Amino acid sequence: MKTKIYENFPWRIVILANLLPVLVYAVGAYILAGFGLVVAGLYVLYCLVMEFRVFKLGCVNCYYYGKVCGLGKGKLCSLLFKQGDPRKFAETEISWAEMLPDFMVVIFPLLGGIILLIMNFSWLLLAAVIFIGLLYFWGNSLIRGPVMCQHCRQREIGCPAAQLFSKEGTR
């Protein structure tokens, strides 16, 4: 049975896929608020910068530019930036090191949470730290794999993230 490839993803997938990062950002801000509202605000600002980084480095060159991708970013990107070169998307190679800024979205609150737990243990904070770890690592693999990536036209054309995360593409 052939998997359906979406030209425009259904909005239910877009909403579900966006719920994950919104929850990660909210829980991360909650954890880092233990250091003060300025730290939590800087974290949220960092998350927004990372979102715009994705638009600028990936979405402008993606097949879904101007369309509804699994995250809805193709449509939004077309309102903010000019279209790039779709061939660049498939030709781009990314490494784990290049993804480090994206991983910092979860690393900052995990490390901050551990420091706060050492300073003043709280079951609620421990639950938040565990929850953000599960959301980011398990939730992303669940949403991106079976819900989004398997239905993505760009994956078929060539996707550096799919290559990086697949067993064959791991470097």
Side-chain angles (χ1 to χ4, degrees), residues 1-6 146 148-152 155-156:
M1 185 170 174
K2 186 163 167 62
T3 303
K4 179 174 176 57
I5 301 300
Y6 295 121
M148 284 184 355
C149 294
Q150 75 172 350
H151 301 288
C152 180
R155 181 187 55 84
E156 287 187 332

Side-chain angles (χ1 to χ4, degrees), residues 39-109:
V39 173
L42 288 172
Y43 169 75
V44 171
L45 182 62
Y46 181 80
C47 293
L48 290 173
V49 168
M50 290 299 96
E51 288 293 332
F52 276 95
R53 180 177 177 259
V54 170
F55 285 138
K56 197 71 176 144
L57 297 178
C59 296
V60 295
N61 298 320
C62 182
Y63 174 83
Y64 286 99
Y65 177 90
K67 299 177 183 176
V68 181
C69 70
L71 291 167
K73 291 181 180 182
K75 247 326 182 208
L76 185 56
C77 182
S78 69
L79 300 173
L80 300 172
F81 300 104
K82 288 183 180 178
Q83 186 172 16
D85 182 357
R87 290 175 296 175
K88 281 186 178 180
F89 196 98
E91 294 170 359
T92 301
E93 288 190 32
I94 57 174
S95 67
W96 289 105
E98 290 166 326
M99 290 188 61
L100 185 59
D102 298 304
F103 287 131
M104 296 309 286
V105 165
V106 72
I107 292 171
F108 287 144

Side-chain angles (χ1 to χ4, degrees), residues 84-136:
D85 182 357
R87 290 175 296 175
K88 281 186 178 180
F89 196 98
E91 294 170 359
T92 301
E93 288 190 32
I94 57 174
S95 67
W96 289 105
E98 290 166 326
M99 290 188 61
L100 185 59
D102 298 304
F103 287 131
M104 296 309 286
V105 165
V106 72
I107 292 171
F108 287 144
L110 285 174
L111 290 177
I114 291 167
I115 292 167
L116 289 167
L117 284 167
I118 292 169
M119 292 172 31
N120 187 19
F121 183 82
S122 155
W123 286 106
L124 184 58
L125 181 59
L126 177 61
V129 169
I130 292 169
F131 186 60
I132 196 171
L134 288 173
L135 271 177
Y136 191 83

